[in-house]
Amino acid sequence: MTVVDMARYDSGERKGARPMRQRWKLSGGLLALAVSLSGCGAAEESSPVIVGSLSPLTAAPATTATGQPIADPTLSPAPPVDTYADQPLIDRTEWTDAVDGRRLLVYPTEAGRKDTFPSAGERAWQEVLVDSPDADTPGMRDQFICHWEWARLVRPDKPSWNLEPWRPAVGYQETVNALCNPGGPER
């Protein structure tokens, strides 16, 4: 990308480009999400995990010693078939009381940790609702989808995803911006 192209991109002049402020807000939010999600959950969990930037501007792909590009696993296409369609995605749910209020612990199965088929997240949410029908609120769903899309990538072995009904329903994007925990961090 030339300097002129970068200036056009940064100013939003290029067709479909986001203005620079939006891009930085988005990439900063996603990086903060990755950092925070690495610690979302119980205080005794392991130290944070930090992932690379998710900025739309990317450098040339890394190459092997032979000059072949290294594939980026995060950019792989969705599978054409849900290989986990016949398996449960959620093992169980459990309501607990915490210092902040009620909390629903959602325990994904191994299939739930690995399934990347586009409709799998909604199928998993329906499994949560079968087990805990009182979780059916917009804020809880947004927290769950945020954990499904982001937390399982950052901390794939986290025992449970913690959803709290007392958190405000701010919409999915704001839930992601709040690192899946709108209304403040877990205690």
Side-chain angles (χ1 to χ4, degrees):
M1 183 177 273
T2 68
V3 174
V4 173
D5 291 335
M6 290 176 70
R8 284 186 181 141
Y9 189 90
D10 287 343
S11 69
E13 187 177 314
R14 195 183 77 174
K15 183 178 179 181
R18 287 191 172 113
M20 187 151 101
R21 183 177 301 164
Q22 285 180 320
R23 287 186 311 125
W24 281 110
K25 181 179 178 185
L26 177 62
S27 64
L30 293 175
L31 180 58
L33 173 66
V35 171
S36 177
L37 288 179
S38 65
C40 73
E44 69 274 1
E45 296 291 333
S46 63
S47 61
V49 175
I50 300 173
V51 297
S53 170
L54 298 175
S55 171
L57 288 178
T58 57
T63 58
T64 64
T66 63
Q68 295 298 318
I70 297 172
D72 182 349
T74 63
L75 298 178
S76 58
V81 174
D82 188 350
T83 56
Y84 300 98
D86 61 341
Q87 299 176 42
L89 302 175
I90 303 300
D91 179 43
R92 69 185 191 283
T93 63
E94 177 184 332
W95 283 102
T96 63
D97 289 309
V99 67
D100 297 336
R102 290 184 79 204
R103 176 175 292 157
L104 180 63
L105 307 179
V106 177
Y107 295 90
T109 63
E110 192 64 27
R113 295 178 187 285
K114 294 180 177 180
D115 198 343
T116 59
F117 195 71
S119 62
E122 189 56 40
R123 183 165 67 91
W125 176 242
Q126 294 307 312
E127 290 181 27
V128 168
L129 295 180
V130 166
D131 205 31
S132 295
D134 47 345
D136 192 12
T137 67
M140 293 279 282
R141 182 186 183 282
D142 289 339
Q143 290 174 59
F144 177 80
I145 297 299
C146 184
H147 280 80
W148 180 266
E149 294 294 332
W150 298 103
R152 71 183 185 145
L153 297 176
V154 176
R155 299 250 338 258
D157 296 326
K158 186 175 187 276
S160 68
W161 302 329
N162 305 331
L163 315 177
E164 294 90 9
W166 55 265
R167 292 191 182 278
V170 294
Y172 177 72
Q173 188 58 54
E174 286 304 313
T175 299
V176 171
N177 291 345
L179 311 174
C180 300
N181 294 310
E186 286 188 53
R187 290 184 275 182

